[in-house]
Amino acid sequence: TAKTNANKDTLSIYVVNLSDKPQQAVINVSGFKFAGKAQTWVIGDCELTTLNTADNKTAVAPKTGSTPFAKKDAAYTFPKYSYTILTLKK
């Protein structure tokens, strides 16, 4: 799923990978000019049975970052069993 914010200056792309393997996708963005990188927010990339414990409180926790992102043919690999938000800003 993808949507812009009310000001039309941010585009967010929401992706769920239900597979037990990372999945690469090629994404093309048209009609939205952005700065050439994406902010990333990912939760998952673990086994479905993984739990947070007292000794490992962040076994399942969101990870943030950024990645270069082209307007055409941007390749991105979505981790296994994950929910990812890619955010593009003008």
Side-chain angles (χ1 to χ4, degrees):
T1 317
K3 70 175 189 171
T4 58
N5 66 349
N7 294 330
K8 306 276 190 226
D9 61 359
T10 301
L11 172 69
S12 296
I13 303 167
Y14 306 87
V15 178
V16 175
N17 180 7
L18 298 174
S19 173
D20 63 350
K21 295 179 178 54
Q23 299 294 315
Q24 185 175 46
V26 175
I27 302 168
N28 290 303
V29 176
S30 63
F32 184 82
K33 295 181 181 184
F34 59 95
K37 70 176 183 175
Q39 298 300 314
T40 59
W41 183 96
V42 181
I43 192 164
D45 197 15
C46 55
E47 297 306 316
L48 294 178
T49 55
T50 302
L51 302 171
N52 291 342
T53 64
D55 293 331
N56 189 357
K57 295 178 181 168
T58 60
V60 182
K63 295 175 182 73
T64 59
S66 65
T67 188
F69 204 85
K71 293 179 185 191
K72 185 173 180 183
D73 298 333
Y76 187 83
T77 302
F78 296 93
K80 68 179 180 179
Y81 300 131
S82 65
Y83 177 64
T84 302
I85 302 172
L86 301 172
T87 303
L88 308 171
K89 295 184 179 188
K90 287 189 176 183

